[in-house]
Amino acid sequence: MESVQQTITRVSQELNCSPTSRRLAEHLDRHDELQQLRQEFLMPKISDLPPSDLSLVDGSEDCVYFAGNSLGLQPKNTKKYIEEELEKWATIGVHGHLKGSRPWAWAEETLEELMAKIVGAKPEEVALMNGLTVNLHLLMLSFYKPTPKRYKILLEDMAFPSDHYAIESQIWLRGQDVTDSMLIIKPRQGEDTIRTEDIVSVIEREGDAIALVMLSGVQYYTGQLFDMEAITRAGHAKGCLVGFDCAHAVGNAELQLHDWNVDFACWCSYKYVNSGAGGLAGAYIHEKHAHSVKPTLMGWWGHNLKTRFLMNNEMELQPGVNGFRLSNQPVLLVCPLQASLEIFNRTSMKDLRRKSVLLTGYLEYLIRHYYTKDPSDPDKPSVHIITPSDPEQRGCQLSLCFSRPIRTVFQELEKRGVACDMREPNVLRVAPVPLYNSFTDVHRFITALGSALNASGAE
Ligand SMILES: *Cc1c(COP(=O)(O)O)cnc(C)c1O
């Protein structure tokens, strides 16, 4: 298959233009089979974004939205679906539980199949419920059962704070020593990301003491996509259970949770899955555990639906992850998730990934074309990409470090109509999302970056 570099060179020759020309981006957009999906989302205008400086940019244009790794855009059908439910509530009240296209009593159940496709699972292996951190806790309550010999949890250095705290408190809850039980794996000295071989060798070396391997699918800070299949295999070979937090992987990378034999996973849906802040989160448990792993905490929504409302206080637990449900579902959160999953259902993760590799590769190409990663020349800004260059080891996000002060670069980009994300201490995260970003967006970003870096050097 043609590499990104080869595609760019070929197209620039066909068009007889420079590889950095905007014409090349426009050509790639015209040949993008997923281009029309952008129309399904509400793209903010530059003039509406609070930090925009309208003396520097045309406010009537769409912003360059590279923040889908933080909060995905709103699908256009969201409002319609929410209004339908508000209308139903207003007109038929309690009857809404059983009536309409989304009967509240089982509103989310039609969505599990769509969600399962995105994570590579069977529908009965997936539940939509709660928030991500809550699901992480519920799953660890059942999957982390330390014994005197096997009590450690393997996690990555600089894990997302909520995951770190969740793991810390689970260890504490079980009366274990926190420092001894949190086995934290770091990149090698001088490297930014963690090598798979290093993860595997820690598991081989210390696996007998590891109860749980609990990593992210895509690391939120570096953008590294972990080799979940290899890590799961290594964990199982040493008798460990293996779970992944897929917050940054779902809707971004091609996941095969079932085939990879991952024991459990959880994710939120407001990043690449566009369900709105605090949207309904996901949880997965492999079917092999359906009858052996039980929820530690039970609620009436874990009861078999057919007999749930008999109210006889005899628990008929649904097998697998469905038994982990606690409360009736917030239908107003089901609406945006449905609107988004319907858009995903018009394509496939395979096609999204194909576009994503080219889109992010194009961004990487332009950054490398204009900037060195060597910060030795104080007059020339340098840009260092800490995300792996290998498309197999990343999703759509690139994490960038600059020789100029990060906060200034970020503010100057925001003034120019770019929405992206700055993370302390030193990283700008940019995520061209294949569902709604275009190659022209990437080109506009590079132009804005050039002028932001100029402005940041002028201080
Ligand atoms: C976004 C994210 C969270 C956020 O957790 P919530 O419970 O949804 O607030 C947690 N962990 C990771 C890895 C994340 O990327």
Side-chain angles (χ1 to χ4, degrees), residues 129-130 133-145 170 173-174 285 293-303 315-318 320-327:
M129 57 187 187
N130 311 313
T133 308
V134 175
N135 288 344
L136 181 57
H137 272 300
L138 294 178
L139 290 165
M140 282 198 291
L141 279 173
S142 292
F143 282 92
Y144 179 54
K145 298 276 179 66
Q170 287 280 333
L173 176 71
R174 300 291 183 181
I285 295 178
V293 175
K294 303 276 183 216
T296 302
L297 304 175
M298 296 196 302
W300 72 322
W301 236 247
H303 196 284
M315 182 46 120
E316 241 183 82
L317 196 64
Q318 296 186 63
V321 73
N322 284 302
F324 282 61
R325 297 154 186 270
L326 297 174
S327 291

mmCIF file of all heavy atoms in Angstrom, residues 129-130 133-145 170 173-174 285 293-303 315-318 320-327:
data_model
loop_
_atom_site.group_PDB
_atom_site.id
_atom_site.type_symbol
_atom_site.label_atom_id
_atom_site.label_comp_id
_atom_site.label_asym_id
_atom_site.label_seq_id
_atom_site.Cartn_x
_atom_site.Cartn_y
_atom_site.Cartn_z
ATOM 1 N N MET A 129 -23.863 2.877 30.108
ATOM 2 C CA MET A 129 -24.338 3.279 31.441
ATOM 3 C C MET A 129 -23.344 4.213 32.117
ATOM 4 O O MET A 129 -22.165 4.225 31.795
ATOM 5 C CB MET A 129 -24.516 2.032 32.319
ATOM 6 C CG MET A 129 -23.238 1.204 32.462
ATOM 7 S SD MET A 129 -23.530 -0.347 33.338
ATOM 8 C CE MET A 129 -21.843 -0.947 33.509
ATOM 9 N N ASN A 130 -23.825 5.001 33.042
ATOM 10 C CA ASN A 130 -22.976 5.783 33.961
ATOM 11 C C ASN A 130 -21.968 6.675 33.226
ATOM 12 O O ASN A 130 -22.113 6.977 32.053
ATOM 13 C CB ASN A 130 -22.211 4.849 34.917
ATOM 14 C CG ASN A 130 -23.107 3.828 35.580
ATOM 15 O OD1 ASN A 130 -24.161 4.181 36.067
ATOM 16 N ND2 ASN A 130 -22.691 2.572 35.585
ATOM 17 N N THR A 133 -15.489 6.942 34.813
ATOM 18 C CA THR A 133 -14.797 6.592 36.056
ATOM 19 C C THR A 133 -15.660 5.664 36.910
ATOM 20 O O THR A 133 -15.147 4.741 37.552
ATOM 21 C CB THR A 133 -14.408 7.869 36.828
ATOM 22 O OG1 THR A 133 -13.692 8.739 35.943
ATOM 23 C CG2 THR A 133 -13.519 7.552 38.014
ATOM 24 N N VAL A 134 -16.966 5.880 36.882
ATOM 25 C CA VAL A 134 -17.870 4.989 37.620
ATOM 26 C C VAL A 134 -17.741 3.564 37.064
ATOM 27 O O VAL A 134 -17.599 2.596 37.822
ATOM 28 C CB VAL A 134 -19.335 5.473 37.504
ATOM 29 C CG1 VAL A 134 -20.280 4.481 38.175
ATOM 30 C CG2 VAL A 134 -19.489 6.860 38.113
ATOM 31 N N ASN A 135 -17.753 3.446 35.749
ATOM 32 C CA ASN A 135 -17.651 2.107 35.151
ATOM 33 C C ASN A 135 -16.305 1.453 35.461
ATOM 34 O O ASN A 135 -16.230 0.238 35.705
ATOM 35 C CB ASN A 135 -17.866 2.177 33.636
ATOM 36 C CG ASN A 135 -19.313 2.458 33.280
ATOM 37 O OD1 ASN A 135 -20.202 2.311 34.128
ATOM 38 N ND2 ASN A 135 -19.567 2.871 32.058
ATOM 39 N N LEU A 136 -15.255 2.258 35.453
ATOM 40 C CA LEU A 136 -13.934 1.720 35.782
ATOM 41 C C LEU A 136 -13.955 1.136 37.199
ATOM 42 O O LEU A 136 -13.446 0.034 37.442
ATOM 43 C CB LEU A 136 -12.892 2.840 35.646
ATOM 44 C CG LEU A 136 -11.434 2.491 35.927
ATOM 45 C CD1 LEU A 136 -10.953 1.360 35.026
ATOM 46 C CD2 LEU A 136 -10.550 3.733 35.728
ATOM 47 N N HIS A 137 -14.572 1.856 38.100
ATOM 48 C CA HIS A 137 -14.680 1.354 39.476
ATOM 49 C C HIS A 137 -15.519 0.074 39.539
ATOM 50 O O HIS A 137 -15.132 -0.905 40.179
ATOM 51 C CB HIS A 137 -15.315 2.417 40.376
ATOM 52 C CG HIS A 137 -14.309 3.366 40.968
ATOM 53 N ND1 HIS A 137 -13.290 2.946 41.782
ATOM 54 C CD2 HIS A 137 -14.188 4.714 40.859
ATOM 55 C CE1 HIS A 137 -12.574 4.008 42.165
ATOM 56 N NE2 HIS A 137 -13.090 5.083 41.601
ATOM 57 N N LEU A 138 -16.668 0.092 38.880
ATOM 58 C CA LEU A 138 -17.549 -1.085 38.948
ATOM 59 C C LEU A 138 -16.831 -2.316 38.409
ATOM 60 O O LEU A 138 -16.964 -3.420 38.956
ATOM 61 C CB LEU A 138 -18.838 -0.840 38.155
ATOM 62 C CG LEU A 138 -19.774 0.247 38.695
ATOM 63 C CD1 LEU A 138 -20.980 0.413 37.764
ATOM 64 C CD2 LEU A 138 -20.249 -0.074 40.114
ATOM 65 N N LEU A 139 -16.068 -2.124 37.331
ATOM 66 C CA LEU A 139 -15.366 -3.266 36.734
ATOM 67 C C LEU A 139 -14.226 -3.732 37.634
ATOM 68 O O LEU A 139 -14.049 -4.940 37.848
ATOM 69 C CB LEU A 139 -14.849 -2.892 35.338
ATOM 70 C CG LEU A 139 -15.945 -2.719 34.280
ATOM 71 C CD1 LEU A 139 -15.408 -2.008 33.049
ATOM 72 C CD2 LEU A 139 -16.534 -4.078 33.884
ATOM 73 N N MET A 140 -13.482 -2.792 38.180
ATOM 74 C CA MET A 140 -12.359 -3.199 39.036
ATOM 75 C C MET A 140 -12.852 -3.869 40.320
ATOM 76 O O MET A 140 -12.177 -4.740 40.862
ATOM 77 C CB MET A 140 -11.450 -2.004 39.334
ATOM 78 C CG MET A 140 -10.528 -1.681 38.160
ATOM 79 S SD MET A 140 -9.110 -0.642 38.604
ATOM 80 C CE MET A 140 -9.914 0.896 38.953
ATOM 81 N N LEU A 141 -14.025 -3.469 40.780
ATOM 82 C CA LEU A 141 -14.574 -4.131 41.978
ATOM 83 C C LEU A 141 -14.726 -5.633 41.750
ATOM 84 O O LEU A 141 -14.620 -6.422 42.679
ATOM 85 C CB LEU A 141 -15.936 -3.536 42.348
ATOM 86 C CG LEU A 141 -15.927 -2.219 43.128
ATOM 87 C CD1 LEU A 141 -17.350 -1.686 43.265
ATOM 88 C CD2 LEU A 141 -15.291 -2.398 44.502
ATOM 89 N N SER A 142 -14.988 -6.017 40.501
ATOM 90 C CA SER A 142 -15.141 -7.444 40.218
ATOM 91 C C SER A 142 -13.875 -8.089 39.673
ATOM 92 O O SER A 142 -13.686 -9.294 39.815
ATOM 93 C CB SER A 142 -16.281 -7.665 39.206
ATOM 94 O OG SER A 142 -17.510 -7.341 39.796
ATOM 95 N N PHE A 143 -13.025 -7.311 39.018
ATOM 96 C CA PHE A 143 -11.848 -7.912 38.379
ATOM 97 C C PHE A 143 -10.565 -7.764 39.203
ATOM 98 O O PHE A 143 -9.586 -8.424 38.913
ATOM 99 C CB PHE A 143 -11.641 -7.314 36.979
ATOM 100 C CG PHE A 143 -12.569 -7.890 35.945
ATOM 101 C CD1 PHE A 143 -13.803 -7.293 35.673
ATOM 102 C CD2 PHE A 143 -12.233 -9.059 35.256
ATOM 103 C CE1 PHE A 143 -14.660 -7.833 34.732
ATOM 104 C CE2 PHE A 143 -13.085 -9.605 34.319
ATOM 105 C CZ PHE A 143 -14.307 -8.991 34.057
ATOM 106 N N TYR A 144 -10.575 -6.883 40.178
ATOM 107 C CA TYR A 144 -9.381 -6.755 41.022
ATOM 108 C C TYR A 144 -9.648 -7.421 42.362
ATOM 109 O O TYR A 144 -10.311 -6.864 43.238
ATOM 110 C CB TYR A 144 -9.009 -5.282 41.215
ATOM 111 C CG TYR A 144 -7.789 -5.097 42.114
ATOM 112 C CD1 TYR A 144 -6.589 -5.762 41.836
ATOM 113 C CD2 TYR A 144 -7.847 -4.280 43.235
ATOM 114 C CE1 TYR A 144 -5.484 -5.606 42.663
ATOM 115 C CE2 TYR A 144 -6.739 -4.112 44.063
ATOM 116 C CZ TYR A 144 -5.563 -4.786 43.778
ATOM 117 O OH TYR A 144 -4.472 -4.633 44.597
ATOM 118 N N LYS A 145 -9.161 -8.644 42.492
ATOM 119 C CA LYS A 145 -9.356 -9.416 43.726
ATOM 120 C C LYS A 145 -7.970 -9.852 44.193
ATOM 121 O O LYS A 145 -7.529 -10.967 43.910
ATOM 122 C CB LYS A 145 -10.239 -10.649 43.448
ATOM 123 C CG LYS A 145 -11.656 -10.343 42.966
ATOM 124 C CD LYS A 145 -12.586 -10.073 44.140
ATOM 125 C CE LYS A 145 -14.011 -9.747 43.738
ATOM 126 N NZ LYS A 145 -14.728 -10.840 43.100
ATOM 127 N N GLN A 170 -8.994 1.770 44.664
ATOM 128 C CA GLN A 170 -9.368 0.347 44.672
ATOM 129 C C GLN A 170 -8.373 -0.462 45.501
ATOM 130 O O GLN A 170 -8.758 -1.385 46.226
ATOM 131 C CB GLN A 170 -9.400 -0.210 43.237
ATOM 132 C CG GLN A 170 -10.577 0.258 42.406
ATOM 133 C CD GLN A 170 -11.854 -0.494 42.707
ATOM 134 O OE1 GLN A 170 -11.837 -1.648 43.144
ATOM 135 N NE2 GLN A 170 -12.982 0.164 42.481
ATOM 136 N N LEU A 173 -9.029 0.342 49.051
ATOM 137 C CA LEU A 173 -10.265 -0.330 49.475
ATOM 138 C C LEU A 173 -10.011 -1.781 49.878
ATOM 139 O O LEU A 173 -10.640 -2.311 50.792
ATOM 140 C CB LEU A 173 -11.284 -0.271 48.330
ATOM 141 C CG LEU A 173 -12.621 -0.990 48.511
ATOM 142 C CD1 LEU A 173 -13.485 -0.254 49.526
ATOM 143 C CD2 LEU A 173 -13.359 -1.083 47.185
ATOM 144 N N ARG A 174 -9.076 -2.423 49.174
ATOM 145 C CA ARG A 174 -8.783 -3.838 49.462
ATOM 146 C C ARG A 174 -7.739 -3.992 50.567
ATOM 147 O O ARG A 174 -7.247 -5.105 50.798
ATOM 148 C CB ARG A 174 -8.259 -4.529 48.198
ATOM 149 C CG ARG A 174 -9.214 -4.511 47.027
ATOM 150 C CD ARG A 174 -10.422 -5.391 47.266
ATOM 151 N NE ARG A 174 -11.289 -5.409 46.085
ATOM 152 C CZ ARG A 174 -12.422 -6.064 46.013
ATOM 153 N NH1 ARG A 174 -12.852 -6.751 47.053
ATOM 154 N NH2 ARG A 174 -13.145 -6.030 44.919
ATOM 155 N N ILE A 285 -17.412 -6.499 28.900
ATOM 156 C CA ILE A 285 -16.818 -7.668 29.555
ATOM 157 C C ILE A 285 -16.861 -8.820 28.553
ATOM 158 O O ILE A 285 -17.904 -9.078 27.933
ATOM 159 C CB ILE A 285 -17.592 -8.070 30.837
ATOM 160 C CG1 ILE A 285 -17.484 -6.956 31.897
ATOM 161 C CG2 ILE A 285 -17.054 -9.383 31.410
ATOM 162 C CD1 ILE A 285 -18.254 -7.250 33.170
ATOM 163 N N VAL A 293 -18.017 -13.983 36.276
ATOM 164 C CA VAL A 293 -17.720 -12.723 36.954
ATOM 165 C C VAL A 293 -19.036 -12.002 37.258
ATOM 166 O O VAL A 293 -19.816 -11.696 36.357
ATOM 167 C CB VAL A 293 -16.805 -11.824 36.086
ATOM 168 C CG1 VAL A 293 -16.609 -10.468 36.747
ATOM 169 C CG2 VAL A 293 -15.462 -12.498 35.869
ATOM 170 N N LYS A 294 -19.260 -11.762 38.539
ATOM 171 C CA LYS A 294 -20.527 -11.129 38.944
ATOM 172 C C LYS A 294 -20.269 -9.696 39.395
ATOM 173 O O LYS A 294 -19.190 -9.375 39.893
ATOM 174 C CB LYS A 294 -21.127 -11.896 40.136
ATOM 175 C CG LYS A 294 -21.362 -13.365 39.876
ATOM 176 C CD LYS A 294 -22.676 -13.588 39.173
ATOM 177 C CE LYS A 294 -22.927 -15.079 38.987
ATOM 178 N NZ LYS A 294 -23.591 -15.382 37.720
ATOM 179 N N PRO A 295 -21.290 -8.862 39.284
ATOM 180 C CA PRO A 295 -21.128 -7.507 39.814
ATOM 181 C C PRO A 295 -21.017 -7.541 41.337
ATOM 182 O O PRO A 295 -21.679 -8.346 41.985
ATOM 183 C CB PRO A 295 -22.419 -6.802 39.382
ATOM 184 C CG PRO A 295 -23.410 -7.898 39.162
ATOM 185 C CD PRO A 295 -22.635 -9.092 38.711
ATOM 186 N N THR A 296 -20.181 -6.662 41.874
ATOM 187 C CA THR A 296 -20.075 -6.547 43.327
ATOM 188 C C THR A 296 -21.255 -5.746 43.875
ATOM 189 O O THR A 296 -21.749 -6.008 44.958
ATOM 190 C CB THR A 296 -18.746 -5.851 43.690
ATOM 191 O OG1 THR A 296 -17.692 -6.626 43.131
ATOM 192 C CG2 THR A 296 -18.555 -5.748 45.185
ATOM 193 N N LEU A 297 -21.679 -4.771 43.089
ATOM 194 C CA LEU A 297 -22.810 -3.934 43.486
ATOM 195 C C LEU A 297 -23.965 -4.202 42.526
ATOM 196 O O LEU A 297 -23.757 -4.268 41.318
ATOM 197 C CB LEU A 297 -22.418 -2.452 43.424
ATOM 198 C CG LEU A 297 -21.187 -2.042 44.240
ATOM 199 C CD1 LEU A 297 -20.847 -0.580 43.994
ATOM 200 C CD2 LEU A 297 -21.401 -2.311 45.720
ATOM 201 N N MET A 298 -25.149 -4.387 43.065
ATOM 202 C CA MET A 298 -26.288 -4.692 42.197
ATOM 203 C C MET A 298 -27.350 -3.603 42.286
ATOM 204 O O MET A 298 -27.516 -2.949 43.306
ATOM 205 C CB MET A 298 -26.925 -6.029 42.584
ATOM 206 C CG MET A 298 -25.994 -7.222 42.394
ATOM 207 S SD MET A 298 -26.862 -8.807 42.406
ATOM 208 C CE MET A 298 -27.657 -8.800 43.998
ATOM 209 N N GLY A 299 -28.085 -3.473 41.187
ATOM 210 C CA GLY A 299 -29.228 -2.571 41.143
ATOM 211 C C GLY A 299 -30.303 -3.190 40.262
ATOM 212 O O GLY A 299 -30.051 -4.180 39.567
ATOM 213 N N TRP A 300 -31.468 -2.597 40.263
ATOM 214 C CA TRP A 300 -32.597 -3.234 39.555
ATOM 215 C C TRP A 300 -32.411 -3.279 38.054
ATOM 216 O O TRP A 300 -33.011 -4.093 37.380
ATOM 217 C CB TRP A 300 -33.921 -2.574 39.967
ATOM 218 C CG TRP A 300 -34.188 -1.171 39.446
ATOM 219 C CD1 TRP A 300 -33.293 -0.162 39.295
ATOM 220 C CD2 TRP A 300 -35.463 -0.652 39.043
ATOM 221 N NE1 TRP A 300 -33.925 0.969 38.841
ATOM 222 C CE2 TRP A 300 -35.264 0.702 38.671
ATOM 223 C CE3 TRP A 300 -36.762 -1.173 38.964
ATOM 224 C CZ2 TRP A 300 -36.302 1.530 38.224
ATOM 225 C CZ3 TRP A 300 -37.795 -0.350 38.522
ATOM 226 C CH2 TRP A 300 -37.560 0.983 38.148
ATOM 227 N N TRP A 301 -31.540 -2.410 37.500
ATOM 228 C CA TRP A 301 -31.356 -2.446 36.042
ATOM 229 C C TRP A 301 -30.465 -3.618 35.596
ATOM 230 O O TRP A 301 -30.348 -3.892 34.419
ATOM 231 C CB TRP A 301 -30.838 -1.096 35.536
ATOM 232 C CG TRP A 301 -31.734 -0.531 34.478
ATOM 233 C CD1 TRP A 301 -31.430 -0.364 33.167
ATOM 234 C CD2 TRP A 301 -33.090 -0.090 34.628
ATOM 235 N NE1 TRP A 301 -32.507 0.145 32.489
ATOM 236 C CE2 TRP A 301 -33.554 0.316 33.358
ATOM 237 C CE3 TRP A 301 -33.996 -0.029 35.699
ATOM 238 C CZ2 TRP A 301 -34.838 0.808 33.131
ATOM 239 C CZ3 TRP A 301 -35.272 0.463 35.480
ATOM 240 C CH2 TRP A 301 -35.675 0.869 34.210
ATOM 241 N N GLY A 302 -29.867 -4.308 36.553
ATOM 242 C CA GLY A 302 -29.116 -5.514 36.213
ATOM 243 C C GLY A 302 -30.018 -6.753 36.123
ATOM 244 O O GLY A 302 -29.579 -7.825 35.718
ATOM 245 N N HIS A 303 -31.253 -6.556 36.471
ATOM 246 C CA HIS A 303 -32.224 -7.653 36.478
ATOM 247 C C HIS A 303 -32.705 -7.934 35.059
ATOM 248 O O HIS A 303 -32.849 -7.008 34.248
ATOM 249 C CB HIS A 303 -33.415 -7.220 37.358
ATOM 250 C CG HIS A 303 -34.326 -8.318 37.782
ATOM 251 N ND1 HIS A 303 -35.243 -8.890 36.946
ATOM 252 C CD2 HIS A 303 -34.457 -8.948 38.975
ATOM 253 C CE1 HIS A 303 -35.913 -9.824 37.612
ATOM 254 N NE2 HIS A 303 -35.447 -9.888 38.844
ATOM 255 N N MET A 315 -33.460 -11.538 42.657
ATOM 256 C CA MET A 315 -32.604 -11.086 41.575
ATOM 257 C C MET A 315 -32.422 -12.150 40.515
ATOM 258 O O MET A 315 -32.004 -13.264 40.791
ATOM 259 C CB MET A 315 -31.239 -10.665 42.140
ATOM 260 C CG MET A 315 -30.268 -10.131 41.092
ATOM 261 S SD MET A 315 -30.963 -8.925 39.931
ATOM 262 C CE MET A 315 -29.948 -7.496 40.227
ATOM 263 N N GLU A 316 -32.799 -11.787 39.287
ATOM 264 C CA GLU A 316 -32.513 -12.642 38.132
ATOM 265 C C GLU A 316 -31.480 -11.866 37.331
ATOM 266 O O GLU A 316 -31.826 -11.065 36.459
ATOM 267 C CB GLU A 316 -33.774 -12.775 37.297
ATOM 268 C CG GLU A 316 -34.319 -14.152 37.135
ATOM 269 C CD GLU A 316 -35.537 -14.090 36.218
ATOM 270 O OE1 GLU A 316 -35.343 -14.073 34.988
ATOM 271 O OE2 GLU A 316 -36.660 -14.015 36.743
ATOM 272 N N LEU A 317 -30.246 -12.073 37.696
ATOM 273 C CA LEU A 317 -29.160 -11.258 37.161
ATOM 274 C C LEU A 317 -28.939 -11.533 35.675
ATOM 275 O O LEU A 317 -28.870 -12.690 35.254
ATOM 276 C CB LEU A 317 -27.891 -11.587 37.950
ATOM 277 C CG LEU A 317 -26.727 -10.628 37.834
ATOM 278 C CD1 LEU A 317 -27.094 -9.258 38.409
ATOM 279 C CD2 LEU A 317 -25.526 -11.194 38.590
ATOM 280 N N GLN A 318 -28.829 -10.465 34.886
ATOM 281 C CA GLN A 318 -28.452 -10.660 33.483
ATOM 282 C C GLN A 318 -26.989 -11.109 33.446
ATOM 283 O O GLN A 318 -26.184 -10.656 34.243
ATOM 284 C CB GLN A 318 -28.594 -9.352 32.718
ATOM 285 C CG GLN A 318 -30.019 -8.850 32.639
ATOM 286 C CD GLN A 318 -30.112 -7.635 31.734
ATOM 287 O OE1 GLN A 318 -29.835 -7.692 30.549
ATOM 288 N NE2 GLN A 318 -30.502 -6.515 32.300
ATOM 289 N N GLY A 320 -23.084 -11.420 32.343
ATOM 290 C CA GLY A 320 -22.063 -10.515 31.824
ATOM 291 C C GLY A 320 -22.270 -9.066 32.235
ATOM 292 O O GLY A 320 -22.835 -8.773 33.293
ATOM 293 N N VAL A 321 -21.835 -8.196 31.366
ATOM 294 C CA VAL A 321 -21.790 -6.772 31.700
ATOM 295 C C VAL A 321 -23.184 -6.203 31.963
ATOM 296 O O VAL A 321 -23.337 -5.235 32.702
ATOM 297 C CB VAL A 321 -21.043 -5.996 30.590
ATOM 298 C CG1 VAL A 321 -21.883 -5.867 29.332
ATOM 299 C CG2 VAL A 321 -20.561 -4.637 31.081
ATOM 300 N N ASN A 322 -24.209 -6.819 31.378
ATOM 301 C CA ASN A 322 -25.552 -6.278 31.583
ATOM 302 C C ASN A 322 -26.029 -6.398 33.024
ATOM 303 O O ASN A 322 -26.886 -5.628 33.468
ATOM 304 C CB ASN A 322 -26.545 -6.930 30.626
ATOM 305 C CG ASN A 322 -26.377 -6.369 29.228
ATOM 306 O OD1 ASN A 322 -26.495 -5.165 29.030
ATOM 307 N ND2 ASN A 322 -26.032 -7.231 28.277
ATOM 308 N N GLY A 323 -25.463 -7.342 33.745
ATOM 309 C CA GLY A 323 -25.790 -7.466 35.163
ATOM 310 C C GLY A 323 -25.177 -6.360 36.011
ATOM 311 O O GLY A 323 -25.509 -6.215 37.182
ATOM 312 N N PHE A 324 -24.285 -5.591 35.398
ATOM 313 C CA PHE A 324 -23.601 -4.520 36.138
ATOM 314 C C PHE A 324 -24.386 -3.203 36.140
ATOM 315 O O PHE A 324 -23.999 -2.243 36.791
ATOM 316 C CB PHE A 324 -22.202 -4.257 35.550
ATOM 317 C CG PHE A 324 -21.166 -5.279 35.954
ATOM 318 C CD1 PHE A 324 -21.313 -6.618 35.626
ATOM 319 C CD2 PHE A 324 -20.045 -4.897 36.681
ATOM 320 C CE1 PHE A 324 -20.356 -7.558 35.996
ATOM 321 C CE2 PHE A 324 -19.082 -5.830 37.066
ATOM 322 C CZ PHE A 324 -19.239 -7.164 36.718
ATOM 323 N N ARG A 325 -25.487 -3.168 35.374
ATOM 324 C CA ARG A 325 -26.277 -1.929 35.346
ATOM 325 C C ARG A 325 -26.918 -1.709 36.705
ATOM 326 O O ARG A 325 -27.357 -2.650 37.341
ATOM 327 C CB ARG A 325 -27.424 -2.049 34.342
ATOM 328 C CG ARG A 325 -27.007 -2.227 32.935
ATOM 329 C CD ARG A 325 -28.155 -2.954 32.236
ATOM 330 N NE ARG A 325 -27.786 -3.290 30.884
ATOM 331 C CZ ARG A 325 -28.016 -2.470 29.862
ATOM 332 N NH1 ARG A 325 -28.634 -1.327 30.032
ATOM 333 N NH2 ARG A 325 -27.634 -2.816 28.669
ATOM 334 N N LEU A 326 -27.022 -0.455 37.088
ATOM 335 C CA LEU A 326 -27.606 -0.145 38.388
ATOM 336 C C LEU A 326 -28.938 0.591 38.257
ATOM 337 O O LEU A 326 -29.954 0.151 38.770
ATOM 338 C CB LEU A 326 -26.623 0.686 39.218
ATOM 339 C CG LEU A 326 -25.300 -0.016 39.556
ATOM 340 C CD1 LEU A 326 -24.348 0.949 40.239
ATOM 341 C CD2 LEU A 326 -25.535 -1.240 40.429
ATOM 342 N N SER A 327 -28.913 1.724 37.544
ATOM 343 C CA SER A 327 -30.071 2.625 37.539
ATOM 344 C C SER A 327 -30.739 2.675 36.180
ATOM 345 O O SER A 327 -30.129 2.344 35.164
ATOM 346 C CB SER A 327 -29.618 4.046 37.880
ATOM 347 O OG SER A 327 -29.220 4.131 39.211
#
